Amino acid sequence: MDSEQLAELAADACDDRKAVDIQLIRVDEVSSLADWMVIAGGQSDVQVKAIARSVEDRIEQEIQRLPLRKEGLNEGRWALLDYGELIVHVLMPEERRFYDLEAFWSHGERRPYLASSTADA
């Protein structure tokens, strides 16, 4: 599985827990930090934790990988899962506005997540 497919898998897992405004940003040409960022919103600390757990569970189940690092899961306001080539950020609205990661990574190739057609079935 390449890094773009991993980002799509993480975005699907975010969508499973009703994350809002899921964005995928390709940063491999502008940073050595990662290939992709997935940024998603949660409306409560419980939802932020559930979204992050969904990502972690889905990736572990489908490709047997665990994050290299996890941050913010106890507080639930901004969760970060670092898979090396992919970093997933799940933020509450206030944190998302304040840190504005989309603007910070604006020089990367950005695209909104489009739910798969199976979600409509």
Side-chain angles (χ1 to χ4, degrees), residues 6-64:
L6 183 60
E8 288 284 350
L9 181 62
D12 283 340
C14 291
D15 188 53
D16 286 347
R17 293 294 175 259
K18 309 293 188 225
V20 296
D21 193 19
I22 303 167
Q23 299 287 323
L24 292 88
I25 305 174
R26 183 177 178 180
V27 296
D28 62 339
E29 294 185 12
V30 296
S31 173
S32 61
L33 191 60
D35 293 348
W36 287 87
M37 300 278 174
V38 171
I39 303 170
Q43 300 301 310
S44 69
D45 60 340
V46 172
Q47 187 186 20
V48 166
K49 292 175 189 178
I51 293 165
R53 219 173 10 256
S54 176
V55 171
E56 191 173 359
D57 291 348
R58 177 73 94 53
I59 291 175
E60 182 180 7
Q61 177 184 32
E62 294 201 17
I63 62 169
Q64 294 74 52

